[in-house]
Amino acid sequence: MPVFTRLRRPTRTTEENRQEEERPHPAEETAEAEETEGTEGTESTEGTEGTESAEGTGGQRGEAASRKLTRPAPRALHALRSRCARLRARHPRAARAARWTLHGLAAALIVGALLLPNTAGALRPSRFTRIPAEAIVGAVLLLALPRRPRIVAASLYGVGIAVLTVLNLLDIGFNEYLGRGFNVVLDWGLLDDAEHYVEDSMGGATATAAAVGAVVLVLLLVVVMALAAVRLSGLLARHRTRATRGALIAGTVWITCTALGLQVSGVPVASDRAAAALKVQGKRVRDTLRDEAAFEKVARSDPFADTPSDQLLPGLRGKDVVIAFIESYGRTALEDPVTAPGVTGTLDAGTESLAKAGFEARSGWLTSSTFGGSSWLGHSTVLSGLWIDNQQRYRTAAASDRLTLTSAFGRSGAWDTVGIVPGVQKGWPEAKWFGLDKVYNAFRLGYQGPKFSWSTMPDQYTLEAFQRLEHGREREEGKNLMAEVILTSSHQPWAPLPEMVGWDELGDGSVFGPIQKAGKDPGSLMTDATRSRREYGRSVEYSVTALTQWLERYGTDDTVLVFLGDHQPIARVSGPRASRDVPVTIVAKDPKALDDIADWNWTEGLRPDQDAPVWRMDAFRDRFLEAYGSVPHPAKG
């Protein structure tokens, strides 16, 4: 061809220099080649609108071809491009349809990501029929840039949208399970906990596949979003005049809709969703960074920091005190139409049976610092008297010398303190802060039966092991026992569930093998909210039954039991607008133990009235200490 036999290039005109500046980047090359082949003479590249001659166009193509010959390119990539070019030449209509389909998909991907809400309830079609301001601003910016800066800006724009999409998806997941959004400073560690939860619930292979799949999807999203932005930037550049006019019209419409407050199906037409999401994430980061210093100061202010040992809990001297946390035992269990009949029936039956054994109870409500998970935040809030609602606060509190309720019993010198924590399967250095002399984790309770999803052992076995190892034995030096017991059978996913067996049949727990095999598959509940609610209620019934039967069987005149929930179940079960309230109950045979809390005005029995007093969970420590005679002595200075 003549174009390949030229010895030198003709002098370029200003217009040709501008077209060279706008020549496609490799990321745009295929799309721009398709676009050039698809035009029919009505509009030339860069808005010249058909003023160039055929000879000039051929010359430019020839120059491009000459430059391509001098560029080393992978043979496979060159062969692929050649093959695509031949296919476009043979099937021009199909090529044109495919080209515009890709354009449409790229635009839908970008716009959809910009409009993506951060809650599952907002995922409605009307949310994706809005005009995103960020798309208009992005188009204007890309139209104003030369080719190379435009490619870089488009790539970064696409990567930014991909990151925002990941954050929105994390928000959806966190709101669905924990009732709050994702905190980019604090919550990355919870993703590791989520992997361990899946591993414990559904097996290591499933957990590994889920983790690898999530990483691959995120990387794929970043790449695809960047390529989509680059493709659209090339389209805008090739149709600069029309694109500029369209951006001006879209901006005018957006401003008009904003000024008039126009809505469709109750949703504003004009959207700044992506900008608002970034603003929210930024505020979370700022609040988190400011909170660290403020909380550290609060943790140092302890009204009982210097209380002498003989002035700690004198009203409970001579009593064995058990503080039991029931996993996910929240107000929903007592009030949801699906769960309430079974749970309230179990509580009423427990009240009656314990009364026959000589026990009385008082019940109220506490507002938990956490929701749907992160049980340790609820435990530490109750025991420390600090509002611990994130991992940063938990670490700060655990590193302090703040007096916990459990350590107050130990410091008094009148109690041995133990922890029964079947959910702990690795090191737990926080035991020192909680003031526990001895800790029984999942491997020290002698259990040889099967796991029930996340729960390492049934609550009935946990309580029997506690009786055998600590509560039922004679104590040295005239001390009493104070125990923190964590009951885990009501931990999600609530399948399979254990069942009560004869207390004399428990042995090493092997008796639960057939029960576990006959139970439901956890995967069958994850997509069915109604079944999840039903099984959640059954799990709470089991835990309450195991605890009340243990107290009826092994409780003495000197036993004082405090049991409460750590948080509400996940939002998919408790509902998106559920409170954070959990029941709390104190049970004892000695009337004085309940007389000391008479001014709390709690409800008689195991079931609190709906309008029973509600306290913040961090208020419990101080009220409990004062009710049983502890004298405040703040630290000096």
Side-chain angles (χ1 to χ4, degrees):
M1 296 174 61
V3 69
F4 292 109
T5 60
R6 294 177 180 171
L7 298 178
R8 58 185 178 183
R9 297 174 183 171
T11 302
R12 293 182 180 179
T13 65
T14 302
E15 179 66 20
E16 288 172 329
N17 284 330
R18 187 175 66 81
Q19 290 176 345
E20 169 61 19
E21 173 64 21
E22 292 295 333
R23 193 167 304 282
H25 182 272
E28 291 179 327
E29 194 168 283
T30 301
E32 294 201 18
E34 292 171 350
E35 189 68 26
T36 302
E37 291 178 8
T39 56
E40 297 177 359
T42 58
E43 183 174 11
S44 65
T45 59
E46 298 296 338
T48 55
E49 301 184 0
T51 58
E52 285 183 314
S53 67
E55 182 180 352
T57 303
Q60 292 166 24
R61 290 178 178 172
E63 292 170 21
S66 299
R67 282 192 299 277
K68 287 182 181 178
L69 290 176
T70 63
R71 295 175 184 171
R75 292 184 178 181
L77 180 61
H78 181 72
L80 178 62
R81 288 176 178 173
S82 299
R83 181 179 178 83
C84 290
R86 288 195 299 270
L87 288 174
R88 289 194 300 271
R90 293 175 186 173
H91 308 283
R93 291 185 178 179
R96 189 179 301 114
R99 180 175 65 252
W100 285 104
T101 297
L102 288 175
H103 290 338
L105 290 174
L109 183 64
I110 295 291
V111 173
L114 291 173
L115 295 175
L116 181 69
N118 66 344
T119 59
L123 289 172
R124 302 189 302 270
S126 60
R127 291 280 180 172
F128 297 93
T129 58
R130 310 165 71 192
I131 303 174
E134 300 81 6
I136 301 171
V137 173
V140 172
L141 176 64
L142 294 176
L143 284 169
L145 293 174
R147 180 181 62 82
R148 284 191 176 88
R150 187 184 74 238
I151 298 299
V152 174
S155 300
L156 294 176
Y157 183 74
V159 170
I161 294 176
V163 171
L164 180 62
T165 301
V166 171
L167 293 177
N168 282 329
L169 293 174
L170 287 171
D171 267 353
I172 290 174
F174 271 64
N175 279 303
E176 187 74 2
Y177 282 87
L178 302 181
R180 64 173 178 83
F182 178 77
N183 188 310
V184 296
V185 177
L186 302 175
D187 288 338
W188 296 108
L190 295 182
L191 300 182
D192 183 58
D193 291 336
E195 181 185 357
H196 288 307
Y197 163 70
V198 174
E199 180 179 356
D200 291 336
S201 301
M202 306 182 71
T206 301
T208 301
V212 172
V215 172
V216 170
L217 286 176
V218 168
L219 294 177
L220 185 62
L221 177 65
V222 171
V223 172
V224 170
M225 201 72 76
L227 291 176
V230 170
R231 170 174 279 272
L232 292 178
S233 74
L235 181 64
L236 293 173
R238 289 192 301 277
H239 300 281
R240 187 178 299 276
T241 302
R242 294 181 180 180
T244 302
R245 189 183 305 123
L248 179 61
I249 293 172
T252 303
V253 172
W254 191 93
I255 294 173
T256 302
C257 291
T258 301
L260 299 178
L262 295 181
Q263 296 186 356
V264 174
S265 301
V267 178
V269 174
S271 167
D272 59 351
R273 169 76 190 90
L278 290 176
K279 183 178 179 181
V280 169
Q281 292 290 350
K283 184 177 184 301
R284 287 178 189 164
V285 171
R286 291 194 303 273
D287 291 346
T288 299
L289 297 178
R290 291 171 182 167
D291 178 72
E292 183 174 6
F295 179 75
E296 188 174 354
K297 185 182 296 185
V298 171
R300 289 197 300 265
S301 177
D302 186 353
F304 293 93
D306 287 344
T307 297
S309 59
D310 61 346
Q311 296 180 22
L312 285 170
L313 299 158
L316 288 175
R317 302 289 171 118
K319 305 295 183 187
D320 291 326
V321 181
V322 179
I323 300 178
F325 290 93
I326 299 179
E327 172 66 38
S328 301
Y329 177 39
R331 186 185 280 266
T332 294
L334 282 70
E335 297 182 358
D336 182 87
V338 174
T339 60
V343 172
T344 56
T346 299
L347 291 170
D348 292 342
T351 299
E352 184 177 347
S353 62
L354 287 174
K356 291 179 180 178
F359 289 95
E360 293 186 18
R362 300 291 184 272
S363 300
W365 301 101
L366 298 178
T367 300
S368 178
S369 60
T370 184
F371 186 99
S374 302
S375 304
W376 59 93
L377 302 181
H379 303 166
S380 55
T381 296
V382 169
L383 298 177
S384 71
L386 296 171
W387 188 257
I388 302 176
D389 59 353
N390 61 56
Q391 192 63 20
Q392 177 176 275
R393 285 190 166 207
Y394 180 77
R395 288 193 295 264
T396 300
S400 72
D401 57 359
R402 174 84 176 189
L403 180 73
T404 63
L405 191 54
T406 41
S407 63
F409 282 93
R411 184 194 290 184
S412 71
W415 284 273
D416 291 329
T417 58
V418 302
I420 308 297
V421 286
V424 172
Q425 302 181 61
K426 53 185 178 181
W428 191 43
E430 295 90 336
K432 181 179 179 181
W433 175 59
F434 284 117
L436 299 173
D437 301 326
K438 190 182 299 184
V439 173
Y440 295 89
N441 62 18
F443 309 109
R444 297 190 60 197
L445 292 169
Y447 183 68
Q448 299 298 318
K451 290 179 63 177
F452 282 77
S453 194
W454 184 89
S455 180
T456 57
M457 64 193 70
D459 291 344
Q460 186 184 11
Y461 180 89
T462 299
L463 291 165
E464 179 67 21
F466 167 54
Q467 178 65 26
R468 168 171 43 86
L469 294 169
E470 290 292 342
H471 187 260
R473 71 178 181 85
E474 292 293 330
R475 315 219 67 79
E476 299 176 1
E477 301 178 359
K479 289 186 176 182
N480 286 94
L481 172 68
M482 185 276 148
E484 177 189 359
V485 180
I486 311 297
L487 301 178
T488 63
S489 289
S490 51
H491 193 290
Q492 62 175 325
W494 311 299
L497 290 178
E499 298 176 0
M500 294 295 295
V501 300
W503 288 89
D504 295 330
E505 301 173 7
L506 285 168
D508 63 0
S510 301
V511 67
F512 290 104
I515 297 174
Q516 191 264 356
K517 289 181 180 179
K520 294 180 175 62
D521 178 62
S524 65
L525 271 63
M526 290 188 174
T527 57
D528 190 330
T530 301
R531 290 187 66 189
S532 293
R533 290 159 64 194
R534 187 181 302 114
E535 296 306 304
Y536 161 67
R538 289 185 58 224
S539 72
V540 172
E541 292 173 38
Y542 169 80
S543 294
V544 170
T545 299
L547 184 58
T548 54
Q549 285 192 13
W550 172 84
L551 183 60
E552 184 180 353
R553 181 181 177 90
Y554 295 117
T556 69
D557 293 345
D558 295 326
T559 302
V560 176
L561 170 65
V562 181
F563 74 91
L564 68 157
D566 46 18
H567 54 72
Q568 285 267 54
I570 59 175
R572 187 164 54 86
V573 170
S574 58
R577 289 176 293 277
S579 74
R580 291 190 170 205
D581 296 346
V582 299
V584 56
T585 300
I586 297 180
V587 190
K589 276 190 177 181
D590 186 351
K592 187 179 182 305
L594 300 180
D595 291 342
D596 287 343
I597 63 168
D599 61 348
W600 292 3
N601 298 316
W602 282 9
T603 307
E604 292 186 9
L606 302 182
R607 174 160 59 113
D609 290 338
Q610 288 186 346
D611 58 352
V614 181
W615 307 338
R616 276 171 50 115
M617 193 175 262
D618 57 346
F620 183 79
R621 186 203 72 157
D622 290 3
R623 285 178 178 261
F624 188 90
L625 288 172
E626 292 175 355
Y628 292 107
S630 302
V631 181
H633 281 273
K636 296 179 181 180

